[in-house]
Amino acid sequence: MINQVTLVGRLVRDPELKITQEGIAVANVTLAVNRNFKNSNGMIDTDFIQCTLWKKMAENTVQYCRKGSVIGIVGRIQTRNYTNSEGRKIYVTEVIADSVRFLDGKPVEERELVAQGKT
């Protein structure tokens, strides 16, 4: 069986680092990925895909990426469920990252300084 997904898209917000009770770094990010075809109105739709990054991948992504950064993720699709406070079963489908690649080149801060002529 194969469960592998490759995504390239933009972060919809700044990634935030969290630490589990076991002391493991984790970051949950949302990746905006354009579809490769136009809809009936001639527009390109975008999917917003939840991704979970662990350990050093999470730490590096939080350190070097910001909202709008282009990143590539290779990982696997995982579905989990839980019961919310109202007793309803909630299903979550997400991508668990095996690797992350930063595709913007320079860090966001450095690009902003260059654009402002400060470097």
Side-chain angles (χ1 to χ4, degrees):
M1 310 294 169
I2 297 173
N3 180 358
Q4 184 176 25
V5 62
T6 302
L7 303 169
V8 174
R10 292 190 182 276
L11 293 174
V12 300
R13 65 182 148 281
D14 288 351
E16 293 182 33
L17 189 69
K18 296 180 182 177
I19 305 297
T20 67
Q21 291 178 348
E22 296 81 18
I24 300 171
V26 61
N28 295 302
V29 300
T30 303
L31 204 59
V33 180
N34 289 339
R35 296 183 183 174
N36 59 359
F37 56 88
K38 295 181 180 180
N39 63 23
S40 59
N41 297 325
M43 304 294 292
I44 295 177
D45 289 327
T46 302
D47 293 304
F48 297 91
I49 302 170
Q50 303 298 316
C51 303
T52 302
L53 317 174
W54 291 95
K55 300 179 181 174
K56 197 66 174 171
M57 272 187 298
E59 294 171 2
N60 288 340
T61 302
V62 169
Q63 181 176 356
Y64 295 110
C65 298
R66 299 288 174 265
K67 176 182 178 180
S69 293
V70 178
I71 66 171
I73 293 179
V74 175
R76 62 185 166 83
I77 295 176
Q78 175 177 295
T79 302
R80 58 185 169 86
N81 64 70
Y82 64 93
T83 304
N84 70 7
S85 59
E86 299 169 356
R88 293 170 75 199
K89 200 169 206 174
I90 305 296
Y91 291 89
V92 178
T93 301
E94 61 195 339
V95 173
I96 307 299
D98 293 325
S99 66
V100 175
R101 180 156 297 175
F102 307 147
L103 302 173
D104 276 336
K106 297 179 181 178
V108 174
E109 293 84 6
E110 189 174 335
R111 286 196 318 270
E112 289 172 355
L113 290 174
V114 169
Q116 296 170 8
K118 295 183 179 178
T119 61

